[in-house]
Amino acid sequence: MKKRLIIFLLVSIPVFLWGCIGISSTIPVTTIDPTTGSSTISETVSPTTVASTIVPTLAPTESQTIVDPTTYQPTTLVPTTNQPTTIVPTTVESTTSLPTTIMPSTVPPTTGVTTTITYERFETLEFYSMNDFHGGAYTDMYTIAAMGGFMHQRKLNQGAILLASGDIFQGSALSNYYFGLPLVEAMNIIGFDSFTIGNHEFDWGLDKIDVYWDGLSGNGEADYPILAANLVDKQTGETLPWTQPYTIITYKDIRIGIIGVIDDYTYNSISYSRVEDYEFLDEVSVIYDYAAILRNEENCDIVIASIHGYDTYANRDIADFQGAHLVDIIFNGHSHTDVASSYSRTGFAPLYYAQASNSSYSLFAGITLEFDRQTRTVVSGSARTYSEDDIASYGNHQGVLTMLDIFVDDDEYQDYITTYLTTATQYFYKSSLTPWGSSVIRDYVGVDFGVMNNGGFRKNMNSGDLTMGDLVVIYPFDNYIKKTKMTGQQITNLYRDKEQYGWDLVFDQGVTYSAGILFKDGIAVDLDQYYWIACVDYAFDREYTKSYYDKVRPFSVGIETETTTFLIRDLLVEDLINSDGSFNPAYGTHIPPTDVFVFFDSKKEELMI
């Protein structure tokens, strides 16, 4: 509890002050000089300063101090009596078939003094998006501090808008152990403006992450909204109560709307048990409708689509939107593709889109726009991705480093990640680990056939000592094992189809296939006999494609199906411990010749007999 209080104070006070800096309740009236195109903003300013967490600090004038990013330290200040105003969300009556929970607009007081602010005709706007960070599994958790050094400074000095485009939490030992809380806190400190849900945000169950948007600071709280415009409850057709379809950022006199969606195709890349109560609406249609809401009802000048998914056809369709449905930027995710480009359009500026690969040479994506105040449109822009070298001169964000150290130095966490499992005799590619994993399922669950998907093992195994922290990065998923009874013919058909159609299913080391015949430990299976077959729930429940119109769930033909209490990573740990300090997956499993064996429970972090 003390640790959470320290982290809360570290995060909440700077963020509170960030919302208070230079923000006042105003009603802007824009007057454009027809000869120069510059705009004059007459604003009625309330005598009382009102805090707002959705309005970034204005770009610095010559008299403003720009903080040195290499020496920046978060400043602890005592809040004044002007506390942030609490805004109560309202429900706007629906004009479409979409869910209708809409972000409220803040209406400021109309009394007070009048001031005049003059802006140049053209404004340069910066946007940055982090996608598929996976808890730093592909780089390092502390990479978020390096990105934060750059992003926070661009936000302070240029008013940059910061987005996360999905798959941020799951993947590393530190993030998995705390269910993403260190990253929630890091993004608070850096000053992110939005977070779009990704498929791996479902991996632990949404109940593990929705607490960050429940309004209760004791369990950790995100200072930015989570966006999921096309994720709806199957029963009600409404968006989830802790998500929003979009958010609006006001920079100077420019209103920017951000729509967050998850590609409907990713539904099949999530364990069915995690999404069976939800529906993913077509993301292109949802963006089309919400773009009009943002422009017509929310008076937005710029519309951004943050999409956890990368479908070039979908991007092209969105680029063709016109009028009130026009979209200016797309930030993609999911495919780990290093891409930054644009689609030319007649009568409009190009649509710019970008995605980072989440590697040292492509950490995050950035798009810059040039906005014309006279026409209230985007006139040009550029897109790129940023490498570690590109941001090195900005240094690490010291506040993020300090916060991460608090989590890392926790004694229980250290005990967990340093638990010795075995010693790998050599370097093993992840593809060589999957047949061993399937064999572990077969032997420790006690079935005839074990099956896994290759995609579960995300990293190769280094030679030498292997700890629990290493294994979480190699196999980060908390998948349960499901089992069912199928006939020899059905299992033979499954094996034949996965070979023919390229399904990601790998059988245990005792299975061979030749001339249409399936063999178990060298003996042909009896086509009429029932066998127990077990598989990780993700691969067990998902659909597999034979053709565009023919998708099947091959395990659904089984009988007596049940979800076991076994988590696959616990079983892998168990077998590694049983290897007695020398591991080679080619040698098969190491289950003792008795039904009494050591069982490692990763949730309780202890060995059980």
Side-chain angles (χ1 to χ4, degrees):
M1 183 59 70
K2 290 182 180 178
K3 180 173 67 177
R4 289 185 175 179
L5 178 60
I6 293 170
I7 294 170
F8 174 73
L9 292 174
L10 175 66
V11 173
S12 62
I13 292 175
V15 171
F16 168 82
L17 292 167
W18 166 250
C20 295
I21 295 173
I23 308 301
S24 59
S25 296
T26 62
I27 299 179
V29 178
T30 304
T31 304
I32 299 176
D33 187 324
T35 59
T36 66
S38 63
S39 62
T40 300
I41 313 297
S42 298
E43 298 182 333
T44 301
V45 183
S46 168
T48 303
T49 298
V50 180
S52 170
T53 60
I54 66 169
V55 185
T57 302
L58 304 184
T61 64
E62 292 182 1
S63 63
Q64 289 178 299
T65 301
I66 298 178
V67 182
D68 182 350
T70 63
T71 61
Y72 173 77
Q73 294 279 356
T75 304
T76 302
L77 299 177
V78 179
T80 66
T81 55
N82 293 327
Q83 298 296 318
T85 300
T86 300
I87 307 297
V88 180
T90 58
T91 301
V92 179
E93 185 175 353
S94 175
T95 57
T96 72
S97 59
L98 292 170
T100 58
T101 302
I102 304 301
M103 284 287 291
S105 298
T106 302
V107 180
T110 58
T111 60
V113 297
T114 299
T115 61
T116 300
I117 302 173
T118 300
Y119 296 127
E120 295 296 327
R121 173 176 176 178
F122 295 101
E123 186 75 50
T124 301
L125 302 166
E126 296 183 12
F127 305 88
Y128 301 100
S129 174
M130 173 177 66
N131 62 273
D132 301 282
F133 186 66
H134 288 286
Y138 296 97
T139 50
D140 183 86
M141 184 62 143
Y142 280 81
T143 305
I144 191 71
M147 290 192 286
F150 173 87
M151 290 180 172
H152 188 73
Q153 286 304 307
R154 302 306 291 184
K155 190 175 189 71
L156 286 177
N157 301 331
Q158 279 74 35
I161 310 300
L162 309 181
L163 301 81
S165 295
D167 282 5
I168 304 302
F169 298 147
Q170 211 271 16
S172 70
L174 182 64
S175 186
N176 284 24
Y177 184 84
Y178 294 104
F179 294 110
L181 182 58
L183 283 166
V184 171
E185 305 289 15
M187 293 168 67
N188 283 343
I189 296 170
I190 295 166
F192 272 74
D193 296 291
S194 70
F195 183 121
T196 297
I197 199 166
N199 56 294
H200 284 294
E201 268 68 67
F202 291 81
D203 285 352
W204 306 315
L206 291 183
D207 61 303
K208 290 294 191 297
I209 67 167
D210 66 7
V211 297
Y212 303 135
W213 289 272
D214 64 2
L216 303 175
S217 59
N219 52 230
E221 201 68 12
D223 296 331
Y224 38 85
I226 186 165
L227 306 182
N230 66 327
L231 170 61
V232 301
D233 185 287
K234 278 186 178 179
Q235 298 299 317
T236 67
E238 296 295 321
T239 54
L240 307 190
W242 49 280
T243 68
Q244 297 174 188
Y246 61 77
T247 189
I248 297 171
I249 312 297
T250 300
Y251 177 71
K252 297 184 180 178
D253 61 324
I254 304 169
R255 286 174 64 81
I256 302 159
I258 304 171
I259 306 165
V261 296
I262 182 170
D263 190 329
D264 62 350
Y265 181 78
T266 65
Y267 186 92
N268 198 41
S269 64
I270 305 169
S271 294
Y272 181 70
S273 61
R274 304 294 196 196
V275 293
E276 59 184 333
D277 295 329
Y278 310 120
E279 181 180 0
F280 293 6
L281 304 178
D282 175 67
E283 70 276 8
V284 175
S285 300
V286 169
I287 292 169
Y288 181 85
D289 289 337
Y290 274 119
I293 291 174
L294 287 172
R295 291 192 185 274
N296 290 338
E297 300 179 23
E298 299 285 2
N299 300 314
C300 286
D301 302 292
I302 294 171
V303 173
I304 300 171
S306 172
I307 306 174
H308 188 73
Y310 180 52
D311 181 341
T312 56
Y313 294 103
N315 278 13
R316 178 74 260 185
D317 288 343
I318 294 168
D320 290 337
F321 294 172
Q322 299 184 19
H325 305 279
L326 187 71
V327 173
D328 300 290
I329 289 176
I330 296 175
F331 281 117
N332 293 108
H334 184 64
S335 65
H336 296 235
T337 305
D338 179 54
V339 60
S341 189
S342 63
Y343 292 111
S344 297
R345 303 187 283 197
T346 302
F348 307 100
L351 179 139
Y352 300 92
Y353 64 95
Q355 177 187 183
S357 65
N358 185 21
S359 60
S360 60
Y361 67 86
S362 178
L363 291 176
F364 60 91
I367 294 176
T368 300
L369 296 181
E370 193 76 6
F371 180 77
D372 184 349
R373 284 190 170 87
Q374 181 170 322
T375 61
R376 308 304 293 180
T377 60
V378 172
V379 293
S380 64
S382 61
R384 60 167 295 184
T385 57
Y386 289 79
S387 69
E388 288 181 349
D389 290 342
D390 292 330
I391 64 174
S393 63
Y394 283 78
N396 291 318
H397 192 301
Q398 295 302 313
V400 174
L401 288 177
T402 300
M403 180 274 300
L404 289 177
D405 286 343
I406 293 173
F407 284 101
V408 170
D409 293 341
D410 179 82
D411 290 340
E412 292 185 1
Y413 171 70
Q414 283 296 319
D415 289 344
Y416 174 71
I417 63 167
T418 58
T419 299
Y420 171 78
L421 302 179
T422 190
T423 299
T425 58
Q426 63 187 67
Y427 184 90
F428 298 113
Y429 289 100
K430 54 189 178 181
S431 59
S432 69
L433 298 175
T434 311
W436 161 71
S438 298
S439 300
V440 168
I441 292 174
R442 177 198 64 203
D443 294 346
Y444 286 82
V445 179
V447 294
D448 301 300
F449 296 93
V451 183
M452 285 188 72
N453 60 304
N454 254 322
F457 288 94
R458 303 306 281 247
K459 301 278 283 186
N460 301 325
M461 182 182 291
N462 291 320
S463 62
D465 290 351
L466 184 74
T467 66
M468 189 66 198
D470 298 325
L471 184 64
V472 171
V473 175
I474 293 170
Y475 195 95
F477 304 113
D478 295 316
N479 294 120
Y480 281 95
I481 306 299
K482 298 187 73 170
K483 66 178 185 177
T484 191
K485 290 172 74 173
M486 297 170 62
T487 66
Q489 183 66 68
Q490 291 169 333
I491 296 174
T492 299
N493 293 345
L494 169 60
Y495 195 98
R496 179 199 63 213
D497 289 347
K498 73 102 175 174
E499 291 290 299
Q500 180 177 349
Y501 300 111
W503 298 345
D504 182 14
L505 291 171
V506 179
F507 276 66
D508 64 71
Q509 293 162 312
V511 175
T512 54
Y513 182 77
S514 177
I517 300 174
L518 189 70
F519 295 87
K520 171 179 165 53
D521 299 325
I523 301 173
V525 301
D526 185 331
L527 299 182
D528 297 321
Q529 179 182 332
Y530 275 96
Y531 297 88
W532 280 106
I533 184 169
C535 182
V536 293
D537 56 1
Y538 163 73
F540 189 101
D541 290 327
R542 69 170 300 183
E543 284 185 338
Y544 295 87
T545 301
K546 289 186 174 181
S547 69
Y548 183 81
Y549 298 103
D550 189 7
K551 295 179 173 59
V552 297
R553 286 194 169 92
F555 293 98
S556 65
V557 299
I559 61 174
E560 300 181 33
T561 300
E562 67 173 274
T563 301
T564 73
T565 59
F566 296 110
L567 286 168
I568 178 58
R569 194 170 59 239
D570 291 344
L571 299 183
L572 299 178
V573 169
E574 189 176 328
D575 194 61
L576 291 168
I577 292 173
N578 289 336
S579 70
D580 291 330
S582 180
F583 174 73
N584 186 326
Y587 296 160
T589 67
H590 307 85
I591 188 168
T594 172
D595 58 359
V596 178
F597 47 80
V598 175
F599 176 67
F600 186 88
D601 186 340
S602 66
K603 299 303 179 184
K604 295 183 179 179
E605 305 152 35
E606 62 186 15
L607 295 178
M608 306 178 66
I609 300 297

